[in-house]
Amino acid sequence: MSQAPIKDNEVDIVIGALRSDLSSFFNEWRAYFSRFHLIIVKDPDLKEELKIPDGFNLNVYTKNDIDRIVGSTSISFSGYSCRYFGFLVSKKKYIISIDDDCHPAKDNKGNFVDAVAQHIENLTTPATPFFFNTLYDPYRDGADFVRGYPFSLRNGVNCALSCGLWLNLADLDAPTQALKPSERNNRYVDAVLTVPTAALLPVSGINIAFDREAVGPALFPALRLAEEGKVRWETIEDIWSGMCVKVICDHLGLGVKTGLPYVWRTDRGDAVESLKKEWEGVKLMEEVVPFLQSTMLPVTAATAEDCVVEMAKTVKQQLGSSNPVFGHAADSMLEWVRIWKTMVSRPS
Amino acid sequence: MTKMAAEARLAPTPLLKDELDIVIPTIRNLDFLEMWRPFFQPYHLIIVQDGDPSKTIRVPEGFDYELYNRNDINRILGPKASCISFKDSACRCFGYMVSKKKYIYTIDDDCFVAKDPTGKGINALEQHIKNLLCPSTPFFFNTLYDPYREGADFVRGYPFSLRDGAPTAVSHGLWLNIPDYDAPTQLVKPLERNSRYVDAVLTIPKGTLFPMCGMNLAFDRELIGPAMYFGLMGDGQPIGRYDDMWAGWCTKVICDHLGLGVKTGLPYIWHSKASNPFVNLKKEYKGIFWQEELIPFFQEVVLPKECTTVQKCYLELAKQVKAELSKVDDYFNKLADAMVTWIEAWDELNPGGAKSAALPSGASK
């Protein structure tokens, strides 16, 4: 199924800046980023000025901009949540977002991977959530649907979310990394695949892309740990948001892909230190997963916004009493939809 | 991760030579075994000879084997032999039934040793054993694929309570070179070859169906054996090339019900022979239409929680096939009957023995 090539001006690359010197980051990514418009959002807690090299078409947003544009809100854009502000102000159809401690990776042949192009390819080819194809993505060059794959399902559905992976420092949780401090991911798995409908997965925010028009409101900074920190081991907001997006995509008949592209992720932080903070997140997952696996959205929820509102209600009812963190998350989800609607209705 | 899983990861893969049978259906010859000798020689082979029973199939020297032709099948099963296909590799499931081992590996006679990206010959059997001996993760998808592989793990956000996984019942391997396409795809892309080595094993999530190919397949016979019936194909039947598909859909539904896992991915074998797409089209033709009804059937089937063994699940499935699918074609009436005959034959040949373990009743779908 061929589709019109995507125009560069349909894409925004959103980078949350948690450190000030982004010179090497942008220079490394230059070949892949420079065609596109970039939205840089500075962590409101970061004091130093950002250092960004020339030659990019970008807008930078700082704490003042966030406060001015969003106004008074209970949503916190601190730390890794700052990127969501970028998703909010973007006017493009597709968003690609990569953590600022990631570098371009090399594939098995030693060639650098254009993660941006791969995400775009993932989002603009259909997903196949209703039946598993054993040769993985049937739309890739040299692959196809296998014998036994029903023909009526071969058109697939629109892909709304593309989850990339990480070489070197994989997105492991703090206990796992603390137990195995030298474990590094060296395995380049040359596959893109659709995560089947009704299957949940932990969506990592480190290297993702999505169709903002289809699911934009469903990516939100809602579940914040009491002692959330500035390393990924100390956050869970992306995992929560990502799982909600999957439930919503399943409900709306949209697809979620995982696999390529890889980015190369460098070491930062101390897993053992983070253990103290991340345990809270680990415990929360035990409740979150059974809850999400059994969540049903009403047929009347026909847009991502509707779905988020319905989910927020259920979260408050069913999880709110077990831990205040969930009550706040539900409130944040509703607040997010309110802000989103306000932004969308603004004149450009 | 459990201590057991952690240890499994580090220890060398056990041979399991007294616990695994290799089942090979053939109508031509077994020359391909020469290439597999270094990997297969320790194991017992069960050869199921299809077609003319008066022909002698030569087994290369040095292999320990038992061979069954059609006369043997008829003699052993009597009237129940009607459930075993003739003139179709589906007859291989007879081999599963007569085996006394815990594990089965089945491979087609046009499948050879593939090379991994370093150029090394792949011991497919060893990888299948690895897959079967460590848990699956059907309840939550791990984005780094099989977390039990060396160098991999569960990712951030993966609930700790699900990290013990589920026992693995099936290991579905893949193929380089000639891909397993259906006839229409073969006709449109006669030259396409699968040259992409995807270095992953992954669990197919609970609730998701897949097209199971029987060319390079291993399973735990004690956990799931009776579900691996390859249906009525070939001579006298209106359909072919859906034997493994049928077994795969039944198997996956039952695995999901009983809390067992199905893995797919590595190992690769090298598939050398492209079958004739016109011949294939004639065999598959009805299947292409029928599968449009079969898939929703399997997606919606619910097994009652009283079905706590594979046989009970399978008989219940047979009942539902008869009730729901005979309106698609009378073939499904016959198939449902054959499914029952298969279970009767299985239980006769495996009295209380191949304990299709009565597992604690998994939640019904």
Side-chain angles (χ1 to χ4, degrees), chain A residues 10-234:
Chain A
E10 290 180 276
V11 176
D12 261 336
I13 299 179
V14 173
I15 307 292
L18 271 72
R19 50 201 182 122
S20 51
D21 188 352
L22 296 172
S23 330
S24 56
F25 175 81
F26 276 100
N27 283 326
E28 282 171 21
W29 284 100
R30 187 182 290 276
Y32 314 115
F33 282 6
S34 55
R35 286 163 58 196
F36 302 98
H37 176 251
L38 291 120
I39 293 177
I40 319 297
V41 186
K42 186 176 164 199
D43 175 3
D45 302 331
L46 188 62
K47 301 284 178 267
E48 298 83 9
E49 284 291 310
L50 289 184
K51 267 174 69 186
I52 300 173
D54 293 327
F56 292 95
N57 169 18
L58 49 76
N59 287 84
V60 180
Y61 297 89
T62 63
K63 182 176 189 316
N64 290 339
D65 300 308
I66 297 174
D67 293 340
R68 177 176 51 84
I69 293 172
V70 174
S72 156
T73 179
S74 54
I75 301 268
S76 167
F77 289 100
S78 151
Y80 282 102
S81 296
C82 64
R83 59 167 54 187
Y84 294 93
F85 177 80
F87 303 165
L88 193 60
V89 296
S90 166
K91 302 247 169 277
K92 303 293 172 64
K93 181 163 164 63
Y94 299 104
I95 296 218
I96 295 164
S97 190
I98 296 176
D99 276 6
D100 65 3
D101 56 0
C102 296
H103 314 252
K106 281 192 178 147
D107 66 17
N108 282 329
K109 298 195 174 72
N111 299 320
F112 277 111
V113 168
D114 183 347
V116 176
Q118 183 67 56
H119 273 306
I120 290 174
E121 164 122 356
N122 292 351
L123 290 173
T124 53
T125 50
T128 51
F130 304 119
F131 202 77
F132 190 88
N133 192 47
T134 48
L135 279 188
Y136 312 109
D137 188 340
Y139 302 98
R140 276 187 90 194
D141 230 14
D144 214 309
F145 290 99
V146 296
R147 174 175 57 100
Y149 201 104
F151 278 79
S152 63
L153 295 180
R154 296 191 187 198
N155 282 339
V157 298
N158 287 337
C159 179
L161 183 67
S162 165
C163 306
L165 294 173
W166 344 267
L167 288 173
N168 194 44
L169 196 72
D171 193 12
L172 307 178
D173 54 51
T176 308
Q177 197 79 65
L179 252 177
K180 305 182 190 177
S182 56
E183 176 144 303
R184 295 293 175 270
N185 184 24
N186 298 316
R187 186 174 288 129
Y188 185 93
V189 177
D190 190 2
V192 181
L193 59 135
T194 298
V195 183
T197 196
L200 283 182
L201 73 158
V203 173
S204 164
I206 294 173
N207 170 18
I208 54 163
F210 58 97
D211 180 333
R212 191 180 162 281
E213 281 173 15
V215 292
L219 282 98
F220 38 67
L223 190 63
R224 296 192 69 100
L225 300 178
E227 292 188 55
E228 185 169 297
K230 305 290 187 195
V231 285
R232 277 293 184 191
W233 291 314
E234 297 167 2

Side-chain angles (χ1 to χ4, degrees), chain A residues 144 152 154 173 180 286, chain B residues 153 161 163 182 189 292:
Chain A
D144 214 309
S152 63
R154 296 191 187 198
D173 54 51
K180 305 182 190 177
E286 296 299 329
Chain B
D153 219 307
S161 61
R163 295 190 188 199
D182 51 56
K189 297 175 159 191
E292 296 298 331

Side-chain angles (χ1 to χ4, degrees), chain B residues 16-35:
Chain B
L16 299 185
K17 67 178 183 65
D18 296 322
E19 296 169 73
L20 185 146
D21 274 337
I22 303 180
V23 172
I24 305 168
T26 188
I27 199 161
R28 292 172 284 254
N29 63 63
L30 293 167
D31 295 347
F32 86 117
L33 279 177
E34 276 310 328
M35 199 191 186

Side-chain angles (χ1 to χ4, degrees), chain B residues 39-114:
Chain B
F39 305 134
F40 285 6
Q41 191 149 337
Y43 299 89
H44 180 72
L45 311 181
I46 296 180
I47 316 291
V48 184
Q49 177 183 341
D50 197 14
D52 182 2
S54 66
K55 178 172 166 186
T56 308
I57 302 275
R58 198 192 73 83
V59 183
E61 283 286 322
F63 283 100
D64 169 45
Y65 70 96
E66 49 196 289
L67 186 147
Y68 300 92
N69 61 28
R70 191 71 205 186
N71 293 339
D72 300 315
I73 294 173
N74 290 338
R75 177 177 47 83
I76 292 170
L77 293 184
K80 297 198 179 71
S82 60
C83 74
I84 303 294
S85 304
F86 183 58
K87 290 281 195 61
D88 193 286
S89 64
C91 64
R92 73 177 79 209
C93 62
F94 177 78
Y96 311 157
M97 197 194 271
V98 297
S99 166
K100 303 269 165 266
K101 304 287 173 59
K102 181 161 163 63
Y103 301 101
I104 297 275
Y105 175 46
T106 185
I107 183 171
D108 279 12
D109 63 10
D110 60 352
C111 293
F112 293 85
V113 176

